[in-house]
Amino acid sequence: MASVQLQASIPAAISAIRTRKPYSSSSFTPSPPLVSFAAKSPETHWKRVGRRFASRAMVQQAVQGAPAAYAKEMERLSAKESLLLAFKDSGGFEALVTGKTTEMQRIDVNERITGLERLNPTPRPTTSPFLEGRWNFEWFGSGSPGLFAARILFERFPSTLANLSKMDVAIKDGYAKITANLKLLNSIESKFILSTRLSVEGPLRMKEEYVEGIIESPTVIEETVPEQLKGALGQAVNTMQQMPVPIRDAISSGLTIPINGAFQRLFMISYLDEEILIIRDTAGVPEVLTRLSPALSAEPIAEYES
């Protein structure tokens, strides 16, 4: 009985399939792909991913870089202040030129100099506009021409008769003029001026050639002249006035000592900013100078030729 019903249903099913309408292309709407970038090339995908990671890295670097730069700048300013305090604790310029600084003070200053040099903010100091200007000598070593002149002075005259009150240098247009201020008997002032020529030999290295030295005629501070010397001083003034005019003019204009490049030295600039200049000679001895006046020129010095 069951087989008869099955055989009767087969022709009916076949007839229903034949009469069913087929799907039309206009009524069929394909579903969108599950992953949108599957149809794109692998190169396009990885470029987009790379840009996303690069942007994220730049943002992280900006966020992390600002505090790092601020911390480094604060460390540099702290090192500068520490060095200036070390100069003061060591007795200053007078103690340095008279040889009164102790070994402990010298090593302390040198340690602070080294600490500041590693934070140098000027990568090419020899051509930086910061180099030009007027600088005051705060510290110099045994190889410095300034200390050499000071030692000669104090070896021949006791500090009660003569002293070197200060030294400064003016740098402009490839020349330097070093001025040493001398005081004799606390009442007679004079200056020794040494002119040098500077040439750039690298981003850090320079050559200095001595051109001439000038000993200016002394200036007398009459109010401070001791009573026992006023008579001798008056006689000297009268003698000067009786000299022939050419000789008197030559003496009044100072004594010029031509050097013409007979002496020279090499040095490197290990630190430079708007306030402090540190140089080292070929023996590595440091000289530290602090700015007295703004830079004389806003233009960089001519580049060196390698």
Side-chain angles (χ1 to χ4, degrees), residues 131-283:
L131 181 60
E132 294 199 340
R134 194 158 165 256
W135 300 86
N136 184 58
F137 281 89
E138 299 285 353
W139 186 268
F140 41 77
S142 58
S144 168
L147 185 59
F148 178 72
R151 292 266 171 88
I152 291 178
L153 175 67
F154 288 108
E155 284 173 2
R156 286 159 175 74
F157 302 98
S159 59
T160 54
L161 297 180
N163 74 57
L164 182 63
S165 57
K166 68 174 183 176
M167 280 181 55
D168 60 70
V169 57
I171 302 175
K172 181 175 174 59
D173 297 334
Y175 285 87
K177 184 177 290 186
I178 304 168
T179 303
N181 295 269
L182 311 174
K183 183 175 285 189
L184 304 174
L185 300 173
N186 202 33
S187 57
I188 302 175
E189 294 182 345
S190 182
K191 292 181 180 180
F192 175 69
I193 301 174
L194 179 63
S195 298
T196 67
R197 183 186 301 110
L198 302 175
S199 57
V200 178
E201 298 208 337
L204 303 177
R205 189 173 62 198
M206 300 191 79
K207 182 170 70 173
E208 183 177 34
E209 299 176 87
Y210 301 156
V211 178
E212 68 176 11
I214 299 175
I215 301 176
E216 290 189 351
S217 59
T219 301
V220 179
I221 307 173
E222 296 183 2
E223 295 80 6
T224 59
V225 176
E227 289 293 333
Q228 60 270 28
L229 295 178
K230 286 186 177 180
L233 179 61
Q235 292 179 1
V237 172
N238 292 331
T239 302
M240 283 282 295
Q241 293 176 347
Q242 295 172 4
M243 287 183 175
V245 175
I247 297 177
R248 190 168 66 240
D249 292 343
I251 294 176
S252 62
S253 61
L255 175 63
T256 300
I257 306 171
I259 304 174
N260 298 325
F263 301 97
Q264 65 181 29
R265 68 167 182 160
L266 293 171
F267 65 86
M268 61 169 287
I269 301 176
S270 57
Y271 182 91
L272 175 65
D273 65 12
E274 67 279 6
E275 295 177 332
I276 291 182
L277 167 65
I278 302 177
I279 69 176
R280 289 184 179 268
D281 61 16
T282 53

Side-chain angles (χ1 to χ4, degrees), residues 13-32:
I14 293 173
S15 175
I17 292 174
R18 288 177 179 175
T19 57
R20 185 178 299 172
K21 293 182 179 180
Y23 290 110
S24 63
S25 59
S26 58
S27 63
F28 176 75
T29 303
S31 60

